[in-house]
Amino acid sequence: MDTKARQPKLGLREKYRLLTRDLGWDPTYQTRETLYPYAEYEGIKIHDWDKWEDPFRLTMDAYWKYQSEKDRKFYAILDAHAQNNGHLNITDARYLSAIKLFLQAISPGEYTSHQGFSRAGRELPGVGTQVACQMQALDELRHAQTQIHALSNYNRFYNGFHAFVQQRDRMWYNSVPRSFFDDAMTGGPFEFVVAIAFAFEYVLTNLLFVPFMSGAAYNGDMSTVTFGFSAQSDEARHMTLGLESIKFLLEQDPANVPIVQGWLDKWFWRGLRLLSLVGTMMDYMLPKRVMSWAEAWNIYGEENGSALFKDLARYGIRKPKGWEDASKGRDHISHQFMLGLYQWSFGTAFHGWIPTDEEFAWLSEKYPDTFDRYYRPRWNELRKLAAAGTPFKNYGLPMLCQTCQLPCLFTEPDDPTTLCHREVEYKGERYHFCSSHCQEIFDHEPEKYVQAWLPMNQLTQGTSGGGGLENWMKYVNLVDGQDNGDFEGSQDQRNFAQWKHNSVSNQA
Ligand code: FE
Ligand code: ZN
């Protein structure tokens, strides 16, 4: 009888080499150029793809093992949350505005990110990058799915969660994240990787996921904490990979440096504009606050960001152009954005409100230089109007920025009493911008941004439901009187109070 030869146990490095080895064949009946038609037009020069190696050397079997383990835990906790009325453990139903915004604006971005990485995996010639892109595409798909599953439980009890799929494409404020991802996906594969790796993973993950998830924990939202934890270990891997990819580009050819710098400038600013949604959530929407946007910016922006750019300085990379203006806006953007959301709350699929006295005190403590001086007086005025039974609603259409698609509601970096507005003429048409940096992004690729689908402009063209507020609400799937308007007096507020009461009392 033959004795079976025992296979030697393979190490991680060897396994990874075997996984990727046969993927890197040389084509014989097609040229490399026809196989990878998008590899060169951005001007990026790569001399040796083998120099790019996945620092994790994750093999498929290890990948599936980790992910399925995480999914098992995730669904077990989610099940417990659903069965024990976990939705009644949150601090206040007002908190759900933040979560509605997350589901409408961020989760579809995870899905888009999955599509983008699938494409980048096909278009980038290196074997290591192909494997890493494939795994990240799967991660992003899983993030979208787990988020939707986790939040679907709230949809059974509260308004505003029911139409996030349609609202991704049609709701005016969702144009901000959608255009961010569409812009990234319609760049070349290298720009896509830099955009997502840097702006989304590095800048946004820290400033979005960390405060969001600790906000969820502070406010008793176990289901969000659970998907956050499940995604966070992927995000840590993505950040490392993203940084490796950027360094790889910088090391391959000095001609890549100015191209990458341009992308960092652009995507830093696009990411920052997207973050104004998050800053608003942190400063205004969490009943129990974790930290202010200003504090988060100091830690994750100033400290971590400065360390990153110190590290990249040896390649000739400097801080993104918009950095200084971002710091100047630190104490302003969340207040300016929330004041806008309050005025337009008839047109949002979440509730708006005027902060309470206690919250005023918190805001002026966190923003000693700006809140009492610029924003408290405006809120006081809105309070007076609301108390008189004539709450201020702004039915005029805001001017949108052609690049970031936010309403032009931010002020000049050096003058918080003057609205910032830039304007450009291009081929006989006039375009408007919220900032010099958004204008610069446009100037660099005007043919791309003239195609932007701006929701307010569409409204006046009658393409969004046929004209009129009522038709528009149907078009965006907004149930008037339920999904929108003030939290005070809303169905969500009433139901939550009633159910909470029922859960501790014998009286109905
Ligand atoms: Fe993700
Ligand atoms: Zn803008």
Side-chain angles (χ1 to χ4, degrees), residues 401 404 434 438:
C401 172
C404 72
C434 74
C438 276

Side-chain angles (χ1 to χ4, degrees), residues 152-207:
S152 67
N153 189 42
Y154 289 113
N155 183 39
R156 293 166 61 200
F157 303 102
Y158 303 97
N159 297 317
F161 287 98
H162 60 93
F164 76 97
V165 176
Q166 294 91 336
Q167 285 166 357
R168 170 203 179 259
D169 292 338
R170 298 180 171 189
M171 185 54 99
W172 61 273
Y173 52 85
N174 288 334
S175 261
V176 178
R178 185 166 61 90
S179 74
F180 176 98
F181 286 105
D182 284 354
D183 190 352
M185 275 222 288
T186 50
F190 289 108
E191 180 177 354
F192 174 79
V193 168
V194 171
I196 300 299
F198 172 70
F200 200 63
E201 306 293 352
Y202 199 87
V203 181
L204 289 170
T205 298
N206 280 327
L207 279 164

